[in-house]
Amino acid sequence: MQQDLLHPGALLFANIERWRNKGRLYSKGAGHNYLVAEEFHDKNGSPMSFTWIVSFLQLNSTVLLIPDVRRPCLVLFNRLNNQTLSLLGNYPQRGYADGDMPMFHHPQTLIFDVMTKDQILLFDKGNNALRGINTGNWSVDTLTVFNSSFVVK
């Protein structure tokens, strides 16, 4: 849950309907309660429903970065026109790859990197990895892999 940058005083939150395998983002404030996002378009332009949204980032008041855990991808989403701006990840394949064609296993938590202005941090639970996403070119690098001996790359 975050303060909605587009509607001051409102909250932006994710909701998962497990029985329908559907994830949605809503904005709720005084006088309004509306659906923000429930589907995106894949690389072929086909509509896809979000399935499992556990976090999101507002890059500004209109653009959201939304990881879908069950569809191993990150969606750059324009909420004003419900348009998919970009899709990070090799959906529908799960995997592990860095660079311009990244692969994720279970992308979950996103936070802004306070140390670097042009980087977002992603916890990729399925790969036990902390990944850095460069917001200038949207490439992905693995920063740390967590295992029993805590290996730092």
Side-chain angles (χ1 to χ4, degrees):
M1 186 174 347
Q2 299 174 15
Q3 181 178 350
D4 190 339
L5 297 178
L6 185 60
H7 302 285
L11 293 175
L12 197 59
F13 64 94
N15 181 39
I16 301 169
E17 296 175 0
R18 294 180 190 197
W19 66 92
R20 291 176 41 187
N21 202 29
K22 197 168 198 92
R24 294 182 170 142
L25 284 178
Y26 291 95
S27 178
K28 183 169 180 64
H32 82 273
N33 181 18
Y34 68 91
L35 180 65
V36 173
E38 70 176 331
E39 71 176 30
F40 62 96
H41 290 86
D42 68 11
K43 292 178 181 178
N44 298 319
S46 301
M48 305 294 295
S49 295
F50 284 106
T51 58
W52 201 268
I53 301 171
V54 296
S55 73
F56 57 90
L57 274 184
Q58 298 174 86
L59 302 182
N60 55 45
S61 64
T62 60
V63 178
L64 304 169
L65 184 60
I66 308 169
D68 194 326
V69 176
R70 293 206 173 149
R71 299 186 198 280
C73 64
L74 303 178
V75 179
L76 199 58
F77 187 80
N78 184 325
R79 67 188 281 190
L80 290 182
N81 59 11
N82 293 326
Q83 183 179 13
T84 303
L85 301 175
S86 185
L87 193 63
L88 293 162
N90 194 18
Y91 170 79
Q93 295 176 312
R94 296 184 191 284
Y96 181 80
D98 286 339
D100 297 336
M101 299 291 290
M103 293 179 73
F104 307 104
H105 195 271
H106 281 114
Q108 290 194 350
T109 306
L110 288 167
I111 59 171
F112 288 108
D113 185 343
V114 296
M115 303 299 283
T116 308
K117 291 183 181 182
D118 62 347
Q119 182 166 263
I120 293 171
L121 302 175
L122 166 72
F123 179 62
D124 187 352
K125 184 178 179 185
N127 288 316
N128 291 321
L130 181 64
R131 319 274 300 269
I133 303 166
N134 182 308
T135 58
N137 61 13
W138 297 104
S139 66
V140 175
D141 290 311
T142 299
L143 305 175
T144 303
V145 176
F146 302 97
N147 60 29
S148 59
S149 61
F150 188 71
V151 176
V152 178
K153 287 184 97 178

